[in-house]
Amino acid sequence: MNPTAKALQSVDWDFSNAPVATGIHAIHPYPAKFIPQIPGRLIELFHPGDGSAVLDPFCGAGTTLVEAIDRGLDAWGIDLNPIACLMARVKTTPFPFEMEPVAKRIVRQAQDNFFKRAVSVPAIPRVGYWFKPDIQLRIAALVAEINQVDTLAIREALQVALSSIIVRVSNQESNTRYAAVEKDVAAEDVFKRFEKAAAAVSRGVASGSDSLCRHLGKATVLNRDILSVTAEELPSNIGLVVTSTPYPNAYEYWLYHKYRMYWLGMNPLEVRQREIGARAHYFKKKAQDEGDFERQMGACFQLLARVMKPGAKACFVVGRSIIHGRAIDNVALLRRAAEPQGFAVEGTVERRILSTRKTFNLAHGKIERENLIVFALQQGEL
Ligand SMILES: C[S@@+](CC[C@H](N)C(=O)[O-])C[C@H]1O[C@@H](n2cnc3c(N)ncnc32)[C@H](O)[C@@H]1O
């Protein structure tokens, strides 16, 4: 057995006994986010130990980045979804002072404006279907105040707090079900919920700020479509890649964050268009299929081959998917995408996703297992 496969075998990747993520990893929900122990252990096992940076090309909520900078490494993350990038930045930005007094001031001012009727709701498609009128006004009042906060780190942390309550105060059934239902949310609670969320973000960021304040590692987040990123935009000596890819027809990150984006002035429709794997692309005329996914992953590996150090490892976590009744072997597919770009598989392992640890539940495909694949970038010419 090669050393990579041996190292993989030495870990119980189910992490059945690990505590559920708290603190910095729990400041905002994000579907299919890593349990932090996965990138944490992969970095410990496979980083070359030479101070080189870690890259996550689909960084989502930034779990890999937090785990890398906690271990004193610089980290680079790329994600298309602006809510994911907002979270990733907030989790990895040094945050030297208290946010709660600012949140309290914002709530006071927003309340004042609400009662004086000095608030207008921005033009958001179908806002009346998803939000009760008094809730709309209260969110709009908070957004207007948050936008006036000068310090970027505080403003973004407050945006994360607001974003974290949007689904709860809307008519949307849950974070992973995009259906309108009658929910028991009192409009008067919006301000209270926001203040509580801001306190939670503040505590979460403070719990992670030990390493951040010591600047053990620094993180850079690119809010981009991976297929448009060039090697020149990244460092050329990435020592380790750790990522979990989107996969075909599995999930729609843009959809479940749609109204969060609208309220924060972002455009979800642009995200939808470029989101790899989004179900919407598999149910239209000229629908995508697994061949498109293979090509997209091929382009991703091509970029990785240009920025990784020879011999460096790329760890990919991927689940199974079903396209129009056909089971897709995503491991084989990633392999086919990676090998022409100079990568070889050094080890794979299957892990169970424990039902208590699922960050989302798919009605259309119960994903109970996923695969961890470790590739190595071959040295020398292809
Ligand atoms: C499985 S999630 C990653 C979750 C991440 N490991 C975490 O811990 O939060 C896959 C990510 O791929 C992103 N994605 C989808 N299409 C993309 C594209 N074209 N460019 C960059 N990121 C994309 C999604 O927005 C999503 O955040």
Side-chain angles (χ1 to χ4, degrees):
M1 198 186 284
N2 73 49
T4 303
K6 212 165 164 185
L8 275 178
Q9 297 296 324
S10 69
V11 176
D12 167 14
W13 293 99
D14 297 349
F15 294 107
S16 350
N17 298 321
V20 173
T22 53
I24 196 151
H25 286 297
I27 61 174
H28 190 294
Y30 196 70
K33 77 179 170 199
F34 269 145
I35 60 170
Q37 290 84 358
I38 295 177
R41 290 298 281 141
L42 288 170
I43 293 168
E44 285 160 9
L45 289 175
F46 299 124
H47 187 271
D50 55 1
S52 55
V54 174
L55 168 67
D56 185 342
F58 301 101
C59 70
T63 322
T64 301
L65 313 190
V66 171
E67 294 301 306
I69 61 176
D70 264 0
R71 289 167 176 77
L73 300 168
D74 285 350
W76 286 70
I78 302 164
D79 205 283
L80 176 71
N81 190 306
I83 298 287
C85 290
L86 175 70
M87 272 183 262
R89 285 195 300 275
V90 167
K91 288 180 184 177
T92 56
T93 301
F95 201 77
F97 47 90
E98 288 261 320
M99 183 172 84
E100 281 175 76
V102 188
K104 280 194 173 22
R105 181 171 52 70
I106 279 175
V107 166
R108 264 198 315 274
Q109 194 57 52
Q111 252 162 349
D112 243 34
N113 292 342
F114 171 78
F115 286 118
K116 282 194 222 140
R117 305 250 153 229
V119 183
S120 56
V121 176
I124 294 178
R126 304 191 76 208
V127 70
Y129 181 73
W130 292 105
F131 296 86
K132 299 190 175 87
D134 263 9
I135 292 187
Q136 290 172 33
L137 285 167
R138 284 173 166 91
I139 300 175
L142 287 170
V143 169
E145 290 308 311
I146 292 171
N147 285 345
Q148 288 181 48
V149 173
D150 285 335
T151 312
L152 180 67
I154 302 278
R155 189 166 68 242
E156 292 204 320
L158 292 166
Q159 286 173 337
V160 166
L162 181 65
S163 172
S164 76
I165 68 162
I166 291 291
V167 171
R168 186 68 197 92
V169 302
S170 76
N171 302 328
Q172 186 177 325
E173 187 174 326
S174 73
N175 269 307
T176 52
R177 247 188 84 67
Y178 188 67
V181 290
E182 194 48 48
K183 278 201 313 208
D184 179 24
V185 192
E188 306 76 58
D189 287 351
V190 170
F191 292 130
K192 237 187 292 164
R193 282 182 194 277
F194 169 73
E195 218 174 302
K196 250 174 103 178
V201 171
S202 189
R203 275 196 309 276
V205 176
S207 72
S209 69
D210 229 24
S211 54
L212 297 175
C213 287
R214 291 200 307 268
H215 294 287
L216 277 181
K218 181 177 168 301
T220 310
V221 180
L222 303 182
N223 184 191
R224 295 277 298 283
D225 174 1
I226 185 75
L227 302 178
S228 75
V229 174
T230 62
E232 289 66 34
E233 295 172 85
L234 297 168
S236 57
N237 58 345
I238 297 292
L240 178 68
V241 168
V242 176
T243 198
S244 56
T245 66
Y247 36 92
N249 194 31
Y251 199 76
E252 303 208 69
Y253 296 89
W254 75 275
L255 182 61
Y256 300 110
H257 295 294
K258 187 169 170 183
Y259 280 87
R260 294 185 163 121
M261 290 190 225
Y262 275 135
W263 280 112
L264 295 179
M266 304 157 175
N267 184 351
L269 302 181
E270 273 172 17
V271 181
R272 166 191 155 129
Q273 216 175 9
R274 293 175 162 263
E275 185 173 299
I276 295 174
R279 280 170 64 73
H281 303 316
Y282 291 79
F283 286 92
K284 59 180 186 192
K285 265 199 191 150
K286 291 208 191 133
Q288 294 192 358
D289 63 15
E290 61 270 38
D292 294 279
F293 181 68
E294 189 177 322
R295 190 180 39 73
Q296 290 157 338
M297 289 300 116
C300 174
F301 280 108
Q302 188 174 36
L303 174 70
L304 297 183
R306 291 197 56 200
V307 298
M308 286 169 63
K309 297 166 68 147
K313 309 226 187 306
C315 310
F316 276 64
V317 175
V318 70
R320 72 182 180 113
S321 46
I322 295 185
I323 304 179
H324 303 304
R326 278 176 300 118
I328 305 299
D329 182 349
N330 285 319
V331 175
L333 198 150
L334 279 182
R335 207 174 173 141
R336 284 201 301 275
E339 282 168 355
Q341 306 304 330
F343 290 88
V345 175
E346 289 201 335
T348 62
V349 68
E350 192 179 64
R351 65 175 297 274
R352 271 187 315 141
I353 309 174
L354 302 177
S355 56
T356 47
R357 305 298 299 266
K358 272 190 191 166
T359 45
F360 67 112
N361 215 333
L362 292 171
H364 57 270
K366 288 209 174 72
I367 296 178
E368 269 133 23
R369 288 180 180 273
E370 59 189 5
N371 292 89
L372 167 52
I373 315 159
V374 181
F375 296 94
L377 178 61
Q378 303 303 283
Q379 327 238 3
E381 291 294 305
L382 278 180

